[in-house]
Amino acid sequence: MEPKLVLLVFTLISATATCEYIRPPPRKTLHFPWDSKSSSHPQQVHISLAGDKNMRVSWVSNEKSSLSMVEYGTSPGRYSNRSQGESTSYSYLFYSSGKIHHTVIGPLEDNTVYYYRCGGEGPEYKLKTPPAEFPVMFAVAGDLGQTGWTKTTLDHIDRCKYDVHLLPGDLSYADYVQHRWDTFAELVEPLASTRPWMVTQGNHEKESILFFKDGFQSYNSRWKMPFEESGSSSNLYYSFEVAGAHIIMLGSYTDYDEHSDQYNWLKADVAKVDRKKTPWLLVLFHVPWYNSNEAHQGEGDRMMAAMEQILHAASVDIVLAGHVHAYERTERVNNGKLDPCGAVHITIGDGGNREGLANRYKNPQPAWSVFREASFGHGELKLANSTHAYWSWHRNDDDEPVRSDQVWITSLQSSGCIAEKKDELRKILTGP
């Protein structure tokens, strides 16, 4: 057949396949049995990056006298190193948390398996550090919750040979019911104890009570991120580097105007980025700026007005967000218009939450919107080298991950955009 005819037939087949896809129904919230672990044994173990060649191990114990100590080494049962950390706890209405431990271990070798034990007793865990060079793989899923679809998403991510998990907000959906923070951490422990989970906050983490409780107490106590290591004054925004990527985690629910600490920290952070060392620049936050779904329309507009010019001047490659319970990918865009030097925006708030999917989209589809679908799933981002990355989105089709969207992305570092925007960046960084 003629090339044009082949393209037409393929387009029609693809459109028919999309129309015939029937989304499976919602799944119930998971229920967890009573925990019979020893009160001193570690529970809810998860790890996160904590500066150059370091990892933070976090866990909870019910025994107040348990140690914030991690023993670790490169052979099972043989711990040649030991680190002492810190602990905290909190009370929330009638709930009192266990003892929450955070212990930094390292320096660690890159791309290496370590075996570790928390608190001097209990089971042995195993982690793998990320590579120092390309390629590097990220798993991405936001708005997880604790439903049957969450479990399916986690099972699919577990099949992916990823190095770091990125989560753009809305973790447990505890929503003031504090024991759900415990059950969520138990649910994700099989994955989060083996690969670093780097998270930022969403609206479901806030849990503030007017005149009584400040926001994010549970989140900040349990999920400590490397904010101090990146010069931030708040756990709600920070940055880190892995392989050839500099990754900025921003807070949609803390001040972001030009007089805020977050705004000034962001300017200082992008000023330190060395694109020769980290040619890829990624940003995550919860509320999407480019969203053609009818859900949560306009909620990111004020943050976008305050910060998009910084991200554009810094030549951010990819922006990942959640909040909208659906998937959407854009072309490179800035200031509402197609821009070859803008960022690719991806909304991936479809991890499995109990609120269900956002099924209604605005029509006509904006020019900047390439692909959109309301299904649960997860994303995989492989930075193949300094110039090319492969993004794929995997729909939860029943219990099988189906790759439904995929694209090769070329870095702005290799396109000449960074050189073009040097003056723009300098003006923003040195301005008021």
Side-chain angles (χ1 to χ4, degrees):
M1 286 188 285
E2 293 294 325
K4 290 183 179 179
L5 182 58
V6 172
L7 178 60
L8 176 62
V9 171
F10 177 78
T11 302
L12 290 172
I13 291 173
S14 299
T16 302
T18 301
C19 292
E20 290 180 352
Y21 174 65
I22 300 174
R23 294 178 184 84
R27 291 182 176 176
K28 294 181 179 179
T29 298
L30 298 174
H31 295 282
F32 298 86
W34 176 75
D35 191 353
S36 60
K37 288 183 180 179
S38 167
S39 62
S40 61
H41 280 191
Q43 304 172 41
Q44 309 173 38
V45 179
H46 57 270
I47 61 175
S48 55
L49 300 173
D52 188 31
K53 297 186 180 297
N54 292 328
M55 198 83 76
R56 178 174 284 106
V57 182
S58 301
W59 74 97
V60 175
S61 63
N62 293 328
E63 179 59 58
K64 300 301 182 183
S65 63
S66 58
L67 301 174
S68 301
M69 177 185 68
V70 175
E71 302 164 286
Y72 61 100
T74 54
S75 299
R78 298 179 63 183
Y79 311 122
S80 54
N81 300 281
R82 176 184 297 181
S83 292
Q84 187 70 33
E86 61 184 12
S87 65
T88 187
S89 62
Y90 71 95
S91 296
Y92 193 97
L93 299 179
F94 302 107
Y95 172 91
S96 294
S97 75
K99 189 175 182 179
I100 303 169
H101 307 263
H102 300 292
T103 300
V104 175
I105 62 175
L108 305 175
E109 295 295 322
D110 301 311
N111 205 27
T112 301
V113 173
Y114 284 86
Y115 300 85
Y116 66 101
R117 186 173 65 171
C118 304
E121 57 181 307
E124 179 177 81
Y125 295 86
K126 180 173 70 173
L127 66 83
K128 181 179 175 293
T129 58
E133 300 176 347
F134 299 118
V136 60
M137 174 72 84
F138 299 94
V140 189
D143 299 69
L144 277 175
Q146 305 178 55
T147 71
W149 282 120
T150 309
K151 183 64 167 61
T152 298
T153 298
L154 293 174
D155 289 344
H156 294 170
I157 291 173
D158 199 28
R159 301 181 198 176
C160 162
K161 295 181 179 179
Y162 70 100
D163 299 297
V164 178
H165 183 105
L166 303 176
L167 203 166
D170 281 0
L171 284 69
S172 69
Y173 282 75
D175 293 332
Y176 303 93
V177 182
Q178 293 303 295
H179 76 86
R180 290 179 182 162
W181 280 105
D182 298 312
T183 55
F184 173 77
E186 289 288 350
L187 174 65
V188 303
E189 182 188 88
L191 280 71
S193 63
T194 63
R195 298 291 187 277
W197 276 41
M198 309 306 292
V199 307
T200 189
Q201 90 283 174
N203 53 302
H204 287 274
E205 276 73 65
K206 194 169 185 179
E207 298 183 314
S208 58
I209 302 176
L210 190 64
F211 306 123
F212 187 69
K213 280 287 182 186
D214 293 331
F216 306 108
Q217 182 184 24
S218 312
Y219 170 80
N220 286 334
S221 297
R222 295 170 179 272
W223 291 83
K224 185 174 183 180
M225 294 290 114
F227 72 96
E228 295 166 320
E229 292 87 342
S230 58
S232 168
S233 60
S234 170
N235 194 49
L236 303 180
Y237 50 91
Y238 63 94
S239 67
F240 63 97
E241 292 184 350
V242 56
H246 185 93
I247 302 172
I248 299 172
M249 313 289 276
L250 296 177
S252 295
Y253 297 97
T254 187
D255 292 342
Y256 44 69
D257 63 68
E258 64 180 11
H259 305 294
S260 67
D261 288 343
Q262 180 175 205
Y263 183 92
N264 290 315
W265 171 84
L266 175 60
K267 290 202 302 181
D269 192 73
V270 298
K272 294 185 292 187
V273 175
D274 181 355
R275 296 302 278 267
K276 293 180 179 179
K277 178 186 175 185
T278 54
W280 289 94
L281 181 55
L282 314 180
V283 173
L284 280 81
F285 45 78
H286 188 58
V287 181
W289 295 351
Y290 289 88
N291 167 34
S292 70
N293 195 292
E294 291 194 0
H296 301 300
Q297 269 296 313
E299 290 185 19
D301 287 355
R302 287 192 298 172
M303 186 180 184
M304 177 179 170
M307 290 185 159
E308 187 178 31
Q309 60 176 345
I310 301 178
L311 272 53
H312 183 257
S315 296
V316 169
D317 290 288
I318 302 170
V319 173
L320 297 157
H323 200 41
V324 176
H325 301 162
Y327 170 76
E328 185 165 19
R329 174 174 60 85
T330 76
E331 298 278 13
R332 290 200 175 276
V333 62
N334 177 63
N335 196 28
K337 301 176 182 178
L338 298 178
D339 184 338
C341 292
V344 174
H345 286 251
I346 297 171
T347 299
I348 190 157
D350 56 354
N353 63 87
R354 59 180 165 75
E355 295 178 339
L357 294 164
N359 292 303
R360 298 174 62 186
Y361 285 95
K362 296 175 72 68
N363 286 305
Q365 186 171 356
W368 43 257
S369 177
V370 180
F371 188 102
R372 55 187 190 174
E373 182 180 309
S375 296
F376 291 121
H378 78 280
E380 298 174 11
L381 177 63
K382 181 179 181 179
L383 304 184
N385 51 45
S386 63
T387 60
H388 288 83
Y390 181 71
W391 166 262
S392 57
W393 175 66
H394 302 252
R395 175 205 297 147
N396 292 352
D397 194 345
D398 293 325
D399 288 309
E400 293 299 321
V402 176
R403 185 169 57 196
S404 303
D405 182 37
Q406 55 197 324
V407 64
W408 280 97
I409 299 172
T410 302
S411 68
L412 294 181
Q413 188 268 346
S414 64
S415 69
C417 288
I418 294 176
E420 291 177 12
K421 292 189 287 186
K422 277 186 176 180
D423 289 342
E424 180 186 353
L425 181 60
R426 183 168 55 249
K427 288 178 182 178
I428 290 174
L429 297 183
T430 58

